[in-house]
Amino acid sequence: MNRPIAVLLTLILTLLFSFVAGVAVLFLVIIPLDAFLRTYDVAPVLINFVTAFPIFFWFVLSLLGALFFYYQLTHSRRSLLVGVAFLILLSFISGAGMFFLTHTENPGLKLLQGKREETTKRIIFGPYPEESTLKSLKQQGITDVISLLNPSIPFERVLLLREMEAGKKVGITVHSVPMLPWVSKNSEALEEIKKLLAEPSRRYYIHCYLGKHRVDLVRQMLAAGGKVNQGREVIFPDRLERGRVVSLSGGRYVLGPLPTEEEWFNVVARGRFTTVISFLNPRNPEDVPWVEKEKEWGRSLNIKVMFVPFSHPPTQEEKDKLANLLGDVQGRFYIHGFRGDDPRLPLVEGYLRCGRWLPSPLPSLLAREGTVVVVPGLYLGPAPSPAEVAEIEKAGWRVVGNLTSENHLSLPEMARRIEETVAKEGLPAYFYGFAGEEQLHAVAELLRRYYYGMEELPPALAAAKSVKISGFIAVGPLQGEKMAAEPARAGFRTVAFLAGRDGMDAGEREKLVRAVHRAGIEGKILPYRDGYENEIILLSREKGPCYVAISAPALPQVVGDLKGHLLQR
């Protein structure tokens, strides 16, 4: 075979061989190795270093393959037959591999894919979404998809083009932000993702191919404060001098009473609030002294103070003005009346939780004896009549949840079922079908703790020398599977195992994570590293109360670290 044809055929064969070898190294070496290292909480930097060796091996293997093909094509007596045979064989294997890789719902790939995980109300992570998944995501309120697939990888290029087409059909915007796992820091891509996530009115599904590796880089960036809130995260106090504080949307909106001068500095300024919305009335003589003080505090701390008319009950014009303000202005809001029990604050809370103003007066079902308000827009109560169901649905409640078939579950499991339905269907919502008033009130109390935090630790955790940092964060030992259920019973939504400070080996930790999950809440492993406090704070904001499991000797250090982030009033 003459030299030019041999060179051309060698190039084609090498490309096919590199693809086959690359897929084999990826699925047989790199992915299992990565999973093994993560099991033992190996740092991401070290994982990248170790996985560089199989990638180098693939490069050398491809080079040796090229030399082998060229030698066979130029030295074999039947070079044409050899070339055709190699071409057919590699084309068949490559085609089969491409078919397997681009049909992402096949059982083999399903076993390797990561789970879809809603880390915040605005962001869901997961694997590659087919068109049916995009439709489901849109129904859940997702407006944008950030695809981390890299078109320089052949099968990912096919999937990306297919995803773009499916996005147009479904009506979801697909943003292509290519990333490469293991071999790149992907700094430019992460910066682009930060800019996209800075738009507060959008909800995002972020994915790579399997939903494990590249999305982890984005998770790490967000956990380190890489979204709208950057740098050192802070823990809001549960109460100020004049009443309770309620934090919503990951801390973007905080509702509470008028801060004192000291609280303006220690909470409002240090909490990086950009705008204060005050319901004090500059025309009311009693409010005027406070209005003047707020203006002065705002000027001295460079914080915008807006006095927004909001009656009780508010007019439609007042509602529209406040809604437009909350949607248009960027940054973090502190919204207040004079006291924490100002009746206007629950109205705003209901709007922020439900995405619209709740009707006034409420449907008769919600004022019925035995109905319990968990938060504005979430009600638990007795079984409604058909007429009451029609009335509540006409008023705009999106779901009437019957829990009769599930009232045998534990309290945390029932609370989780309600949360899952709310996450899927949204608020406002009404749930019924409890085994009795005792169960109803117990589930309601558990849900209130999820939303508002807890006043004090239960005896079992207090006896274990646990320490409450805030209503949403506590720290303490969690030894043994019997103890693993206590955080769930207390009202914690997540147990974060601080690997490196929890006094456990990997096997024991995984066993306790499973025990926590069986108790009805989530177990999460966080490595002890710089910025771990930010990860815990963000987890508590996005998931609800978080119990941090550590060893007794590590308690003073971790408590001190976290209290350093607490805004003292």
Side-chain angles (χ1 to χ4, degrees):
M1 184 180 293
N2 64 55
R3 195 174 298 276
I5 294 177
V7 171
L8 178 61
L9 194 52
T10 297
L11 179 61
I12 295 171
L13 291 172
T14 301
L15 290 174
L16 292 172
F17 176 74
S18 295
F19 175 73
V20 173
V23 171
V25 170
L26 175 65
F27 283 93
L28 299 180
V29 181
I30 296 177
I31 290 177
L33 179 61
D34 179 273
F36 173 78
L37 294 173
R38 287 172 187 270
T39 301
Y40 290 94
D41 300 316
V42 175
V45 174
L46 186 56
I47 291 176
N48 291 344
F49 176 76
V50 174
T51 51
F53 288 97
I55 294 171
F56 179 72
F57 170 74
W58 165 76
F59 175 78
V60 172
L61 192 63
S62 300
L63 184 61
L64 292 175
L67 295 174
F68 172 77
F69 294 134
Y70 183 74
Y71 180 84
Q72 290 296 320
L73 292 173
T74 55
H75 290 77
S76 173
R77 293 181 180 179
R78 298 180 178 180
S79 57
L80 181 60
L81 182 62
V82 170
V84 171
F86 277 134
L87 187 61
I88 292 172
L89 177 63
L90 289 174
S91 296
F92 174 77
I93 297 173
S94 298
M98 183 69 83
F99 181 85
F100 173 80
L101 294 168
T102 55
H103 287 72
T104 60
E105 294 188 332
N106 72 72
L109 276 178
K110 283 289 185 185
L111 291 173
L112 296 172
Q113 288 177 344
K115 294 181 180 179
R116 203 185 307 173
E117 181 183 358
E118 183 172 354
T119 58
T120 75
K121 293 296 183 185
R122 291 184 54 225
I123 302 173
I124 300 176
F125 289 104
Y128 178 82
E130 295 289 350
E131 185 175 333
S132 59
T133 304
L134 290 177
K135 289 178 181 176
S136 173
L137 289 168
K138 186 176 182 182
Q139 290 172 356
Q140 295 176 49
I142 294 297
T143 58
D144 298 72
V145 171
I146 298 177
S147 175
L148 309 180
L149 300 182
N150 197 309
S152 63
I153 301 172
F155 69 89
E156 291 199 353
R157 180 178 181 81
V158 173
L159 290 172
L160 181 59
L161 292 173
R162 192 164 79 200
E163 182 182 13
M164 292 284 194
E165 244 352 271
K168 290 177 183 176
K169 286 183 185 177
V170 172
I172 285 183
T173 304
V174 178
H175 306 271
S176 176
V177 186
M179 291 176 66
L180 282 171
W182 302 298
V183 296
S184 170
K185 292 183 178 179
N186 297 289
S187 302
E188 292 183 6
L190 292 173
E191 285 300 321
E192 186 174 346
I193 291 169
K194 283 184 190 178
K195 293 176 184 176
L196 289 171
L197 297 182
E199 174 49 62
S201 63
R202 316 292 288 179
R203 295 188 68 208
Y204 296 88
Y205 180 72
I206 304 176
H207 75 88
C208 54
Y209 181 61
L210 294 177
K212 288 184 175 181
H213 306 102
R214 282 166 282 187
V215 296
D216 276 352
L217 292 177
V218 182
R219 278 196 188 98
Q220 291 166 23
M221 180 263 288
L222 296 183
K227 54 180 180 181
V228 178
N229 310 322
Q230 298 186 30
R232 179 185 171 91
E233 290 297 330
V234 293
I235 303 172
F236 299 125
D238 307 323
R239 301 185 67 83
L240 298 183
E241 186 175 304
R242 295 187 178 97
R244 187 179 70 174
V245 170
V246 177
S247 178
L248 302 166
S249 300
R252 182 168 186 234
Y253 305 101
V254 177
L255 312 180
L258 170 68
T260 64
E261 183 173 6
E262 183 181 359
E263 289 167 347
W264 253 89
F265 176 78
N266 287 330
V267 178
V268 179
R270 287 182 58 212
R272 300 195 301 278
F273 290 98
T274 56
T275 304
V276 170
I277 293 179
S278 174
F279 292 152
L280 298 181
N281 187 351
R283 296 181 180 179
N284 182 344
E286 293 182 1
D287 288 350
V288 168
W290 298 109
V291 168
E292 294 303 318
K293 286 184 178 181
E294 280 213 281
K295 287 179 179 179
E296 181 185 342
W297 296 334
R299 279 194 301 268
S300 64
L301 295 169
N302 197 29
I303 296 172
K304 187 174 184 179
V305 181
M306 305 180 73
F307 297 93
V308 178
F310 203 69
S311 312
H312 184 257
T315 65
Q316 189 59 48
E317 183 182 357
E318 289 172 337
K319 289 180 181 178
D320 291 342
K321 182 177 180 180
L322 182 58
N324 291 334
L325 182 63
L326 295 175
D328 292 343
V329 177
Q330 300 296 311
R332 181 175 279 171
F333 292 82
Y334 184 80
I335 305 166
H336 72 83
F338 185 78
R339 300 192 62 81
D341 58 1
D342 189 313
R344 293 170 292 186
L345 295 177
L347 300 180
V348 181
E349 182 183 348
Y351 171 78
L352 292 171
R353 292 194 187 279
C354 301
R356 56 186 160 130
W357 297 104
L358 297 179
S360 181
L362 292 170
S364 58
L365 171 65
L366 305 180
R368 184 172 154 186
E369 187 176 350
T371 297
V372 176
V373 183
V374 176
V375 296
L378 177 55
Y379 298 78
L380 314 182
S385 67
E388 287 172 326
V389 171
E391 183 187 5
I392 194 173
E393 289 181 344
K394 184 178 179 182
W397 262 248
R398 299 176 198 175
V399 59
V400 177
N402 187 350
L403 299 170
T404 303
S405 63
E406 298 177 301
N407 62 27
H408 64 284
L409 299 174
S410 68
L411 298 179
E413 286 172 328
M414 285 198 75
R416 186 169 68 177
R417 290 288 190 277
I418 291 172
E419 276 198 306
E420 288 171 350
T421 305
V422 167
K424 183 178 179 182
E425 303 291 342
L427 291 176
Y430 181 86
F431 291 87
Y432 66 95
F434 298 92
E437 282 191 31
E438 185 178 348
Q439 187 186 62
L440 185 155
H441 286 280
V443 172
E445 179 58 30
L446 208 54
L447 287 167
R448 282 199 194 99
R449 292 176 187 175
Y450 291 171
Y451 286 102
Y452 295 135
M454 55 196 67
E455 293 291 330
E456 58 185 26
L457 294 177
L461 293 177
K465 307 299 182 184
S466 301
V467 176
K468 177 187 167 189
I469 306 297
S470 74
F472 286 87
I473 300 175
V475 182
L478 195 68
Q479 301 298 326
E481 291 189 50
K482 288 184 179 179
M483 189 71 176
E486 289 302 327
R489 295 192 190 104
F492 288 96
R493 193 66 189 87
T494 310
V495 174
F497 293 86
L498 194 56
R501 283 293 181 272
D502 57 9
M504 305 176 196
D505 59 32
E508 184 182 2
R509 188 180 301 117
E510 286 293 343
K511 189 184 294 183
L512 280 180
V513 168
R514 290 192 293 271
V516 164
H517 184 74
R518 286 195 300 272
I521 61 174
E522 183 180 351
K524 192 173 182 67
I525 299 172
L526 297 178
Y528 181 73
R529 60 189 178 197
D530 289 344
Y532 79 90
E533 307 99 323
N534 279 358
E535 296 181 61
I536 291 170
I537 294 167
L538 290 171
L539 186 62
S540 70
R541 284 188 196 160
E542 293 157 0
K543 296 285 190 180
C546 176
Y547 184 85
V548 186
I550 58 171
S551 65
L555 190 64
Q557 177 65 50
V558 175
V559 168
D561 290 345
L562 287 167
K563 282 193 172 180
H565 290 247
L566 178 63
L567 298 179
Q568 304 291 341
R569 66 175 183 82

